[in-house]
Amino acid sequence: MTVRATDRPSTRLEAAKAYAEHTWGRGAAKRVATFGDGTPYVRAGLLAQTLTWLVDTVVCLVGIGVCVVVLSLLHDGGQGLSIDAVVVLALTSCVLVPMIYGLCYGNGRALGAVLTGTQLVRARDGGRIGLKGCWAMVVRTVFMPVLFGLLVLSSAMGLGVAGSLARTSIDRAATGQLHAAGIH
């Protein structure tokens, strides 16, 4: 447990970390952070975030696969779609399917988040992401593998990466318990 100086009151973050360490252990205390407005929360663990991404990616890939099968049946069925139109529509489905699936993500809880107990929220205040959920899902499923590759490449080349996150994943149950304990 961390010992703090007794001449000052504890901050919200210190109180949240002390509560988390006492209630859930040291691992959860390390995941306590604050939103931009100072409200404490518990970040989702790496495994939960990875499983959330994996489930959402599989759902999107299945949706894209269904689109490709339907388009190929329309082409083979003599519905007037040329092979070029099928290819363009199939490539378009790679962005449209995650966007449509992202409509379910406005409250930060698509299927992956529901199964892992996480929620994607705004990093500045912990609020809902709203209609930006469509774009968040496209980024998570389409651009995240590309971004990961670029990060690995840039770190291998010794280049720094700057920026800040607009959204973050929280552990819903732990954050709810933290707030129920009066630590806001």
Side-chain angles (χ1 to χ4, degrees), residues 24 63 100 150 180:
W24 306 299
I100 292 168
L150 290 174

Side-chain angles (χ1 to χ4, degrees), residues 165-176:
L165 295 175
R167 290 171 280 287
T168 187
S169 290
I170 65 170
D171 182 324
R172 273 182 59 116
T175 301

